[in-house]
């Protein structure tokens, strides 16, 4: 690039920030603003901290993956004696300016580097590990592994993880509008059959909002994470699922979403990203069936769901389901992918026919 863009957010690394999948993508103001403008998410964290100032008063806090520094500043305002904001991207340089501008640089120290590599100045351990490193579908972005490492390296015995628990769910949904958009659309494009494009679309896990009226089944817990004890090998998993239909309807897709719990709070404090909760920037992830299927109340869709990392920070789901009901039947066996950035591409498989 001949005319390299250089400013306080790209620091001469424009390609890294806008086209690659590394940590420096977090330097982009649009990504930071999108998270901050998610009032459900930001206000929830603020209230969880401010309503539990007794936990933070005179404590040493690490804000892992601190981003713009908003959670570090909440913790400082809640009475923390010292806050270490850890940020692996170049955004750390700008976050230091945010902290100083708000007169909190006497309490907050921003450390630029990976939590696997940094050392804390003056202390070995912290009382509270504060974090918001949940990705789309919870485990996307590959940052939960670093949360486990941060806990093992820096949290005192008996220290507090804030939050400390996540639950990942799956359900079946009516989703005609988006199934038509992503799959049925390709059957006739200006008179041309482009179903090969539909095959590619069906291999994506789609980030989209789901309304409270769309779930056709109950919610099934795929995985419960307790970050006080969770090990690195526990993050990715395979699980059976059983979804009981609560009405007669058409199922177009399976949906994945999560909850986040702050167990240390005085009262039960749970942030949900489910269909019935206020919308967040995480939305939900949907995986389309090859063809919609009619179901009747009381019938059960059974299968297996596996999640693993793909291409480092991206996400791969493997879903197998074989349903035979009174009104219809369907078989699903495929991989679904969700990607961080534009540079990711679908794995291409040659047509065997």
């Amino acid at each position: 690039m001949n005319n390299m863009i250089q400013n306080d957010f790209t620091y001469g690394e424009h390609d890294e920030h806008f086209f690659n999948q590394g940590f420096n993508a977090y330097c982009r103001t649009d990504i930071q603003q999108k998270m901050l403008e998610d009032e459900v998410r930001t206000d929830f964290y603020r209230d969880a901290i401010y309503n539990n100032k007794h936990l933070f008063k005179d404590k040493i806090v690490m804000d892992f993956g601190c981003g713009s520094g908003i959670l570090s500043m909440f913790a400082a305002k809640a009475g923390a004696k010292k806050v270490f904001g850890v940020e692996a991207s170049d955004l750390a340089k700008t976050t230091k300016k945010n902290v100083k501008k708000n007169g909190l640089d006497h309490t907050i120290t921003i450390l630029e580097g990976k939590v696997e590599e940094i050392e804390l100045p003056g202390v070995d351990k912290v009382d509270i590990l504060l974090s918001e490193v949940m990705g789309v579908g919870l485990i996307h972005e590959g940052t939960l592994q670093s949360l486990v490492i941060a806990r093992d390296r820096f949290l005192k015995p008996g220290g507090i993880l804030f939050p400390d628990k996540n639950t990942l769910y799956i359900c079946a949904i009516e989703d005609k509008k988006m199934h038509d958009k992503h799959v049925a659309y390709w059957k006739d494009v200006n008179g041309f059959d482009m179903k090969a494009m539909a095959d590619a679309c069906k291999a994506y896990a789609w980030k989209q909002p789901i309304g409270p009226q769309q779930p056709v089944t109950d919610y099934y817990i795929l995985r419960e994470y307790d970050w006080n004890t969770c090990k690195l090998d526990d993050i990715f998993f395979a699980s059976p699922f059983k979804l009981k239909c609560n009405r007669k309807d058409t199922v177009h897709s399976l949906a994945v979403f999560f909850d986040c719990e702050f167990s240390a709070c005085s009262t039960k404090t749970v942030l949900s990203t489910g269909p019935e909760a206020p919308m967040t920037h995480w939305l939900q992830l949907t995986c389309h069936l090859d063809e919609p299927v009619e179901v009747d109340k009381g019938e059960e869709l059974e299968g297996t769901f596996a999640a693993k990392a793909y291409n480092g920070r991206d996400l791969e789901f493997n879903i197998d389901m074989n349903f035979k009901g009174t009104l219809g039947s369907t078989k699903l066996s495929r991989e679904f992918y969700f990607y961080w950035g534009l540079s990711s591409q679908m794995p291409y498989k040659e047509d065997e026919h």
Side-chain angles (χ1 to χ4, degrees):
M1 183 176 293
N2 294 328
N3 297 315
M4 179 64 72
I5 298 173
Q6 298 191 39
N7 56 41
D8 285 351
F9 269 80
T10 61
Y11 295 98
E13 298 291 342
H14 184 79
D15 282 1
E16 177 71 13
H17 294 187
F18 285 88
F19 300 108
N20 295 334
Q21 301 184 69
F23 287 110
N24 279 330
Y26 291 110
C27 290
R28 290 170 46 187
T29 54
D30 59 322
I31 291 176
Q32 293 299 320
Q33 186 169 352
K34 185 175 183 179
M35 290 189 287
L36 292 171
E37 286 182 339
D38 180 350
E39 294 181 357
V40 175
R41 168 248 193 204
T42 304
D43 292 358
F44 190 92
Y45 266 83
R46 180 200 63 201
D47 294 346
I49 294 170
Y50 285 177
N51 292 338
N52 293 275
K53 290 183 178 179
H54 62 285
L55 298 177
F56 288 84
K57 184 173 175 55
D58 298 327
K59 294 296 193 295
I60 300 175
V61 178
M62 174 184 284
D63 176 11
F64 160 59
C66 68
S68 65
I70 188 69
L71 301 187
S72 293
M73 291 189 277
F74 287 158
K77 288 290 188 180
K81 178 171 66 176
K82 185 67 183 178
V83 180
F84 295 103
V86 180
E87 176 55 41
S89 78
D90 285 341
L91 180 61
K93 300 177 178 65
T94 303
T95 302
K96 291 177 183 179
K97 298 176 184 178
N98 293 339
V99 168
K100 186 172 183 179
K101 185 68 175 179
N102 286 276
L104 294 171
D105 50 318
H106 62 289
T107 300
I108 301 172
T109 297
I110 302 299
L111 303 174
E112 182 176 353
K114 297 179 180 180
V115 75
E116 294 87 346
E117 301 170 357
I118 60 133
E119 299 294 338
L120 300 181
V123 300
D124 294 323
K125 301 289 184 179
V126 300
D127 302 296
I128 298 175
L129 180 55
L130 176 63
S131 68
E132 197 288 82
V133 292
M134 299 169 290
V136 176
L138 180 62
I139 52 180
H140 179 245
E141 298 181 29
T143 44
L144 292 173
Q145 294 93 313
S146 295
L147 174 61
V148 172
I149 293 170
R151 177 202 67 196
D152 291 345
R153 289 195 68 200
F154 296 113
L155 188 63
K156 290 180 179 178
I160 296 173
L161 285 124
F162 206 86
D164 64 330
K165 294 179 181 177
N166 287 110
T167 305
L168 188 65
Y169 301 89
I170 189 171
C171 72
I173 63 171
E174 180 283 319
D175 199 23
K176 183 180 187 304
K177 180 178 179 181
M178 298 310 293
H179 196 281
D180 285 352
K181 178 180 177 66
H182 296 145
V183 181
Y185 168 81
W186 299 104
K187 293 179 179 179
D188 183 351
V189 182
N190 287 315
F192 297 100
D193 182 338
M194 294 190 178
K195 286 197 288 290
M197 302 292 287
D199 291 339
C201 285
K202 285 185 287 189
Y204 281 101
W206 296 93
K207 179 185 176 184
Q208 64 182 63
I210 298 171
Q213 75 286 352
Q214 288 183 251
V216 177
T217 68
D218 56 6
Y219 301 164
Y220 187 90
I221 295 176
L222 290 170
R223 194 73 159 175
E224 293 180 288
Y225 295 93
D226 183 342
W227 299 110
N228 294 289
T229 57
C230 188
K231 299 181 175 62
L232 290 174
D233 291 342
D234 297 330
I235 295 175
F236 298 105
F237 65 93
S239 169
F241 64 83
K242 181 183 293 187
L243 306 173
K244 187 173 183 178
C245 299
N246 52 39
R247 67 176 185 266
K248 180 181 178 181
D249 208 331
T250 303
V251 170
H252 298 83
S253 312
L254 301 176
V256 177
F257 50 92
F258 65 92
D259 288 347
C260 169
E261 184 175 351
F262 298 73
S263 298
C265 294
S266 302
T267 59
K268 190 174 180 64
T269 306
V270 179
L271 171 63
S272 174
T273 68
E276 295 167 354
M279 189 181 300
T280 69
H281 76 284
W282 289 289
L283 301 179
Q284 293 85 30
L285 280 181
T286 61
C287 301
H288 295 319
L289 305 186
D290 290 342
E291 295 292 340
V293 63
E294 298 293 323
V295 298
D296 205 356
K297 184 175 181 179
E299 293 182 333
E300 294 181 336
L301 290 79
E302 296 185 51
T304 59
F305 179 101
K308 62 181 181 180
Y310 175 77
N311 193 26
R313 302 180 63 203
D314 295 325
L315 188 58
E316 177 184 329
F317 295 151
N318 291 268
I319 302 177
D320 285 282
M321 183 179 72
N322 191 358
F323 170 73
K324 293 182 180 180
T326 58
L327 303 176
S329 62
T330 188
K331 186 175 182 179
L332 180 67
S333 182
R334 69 161 66 245
E335 298 86 16
F336 295 86
Y337 299 88
F338 182 74
Y339 298 110
W340 166 257
L342 295 175
S343 61
S344 294
Q345 297 182 11
M346 295 296 301
Y348 180 75
K349 295 181 179 180
E350 289 288 352
D351 188 352
E352 296 177 354
H353 304 289

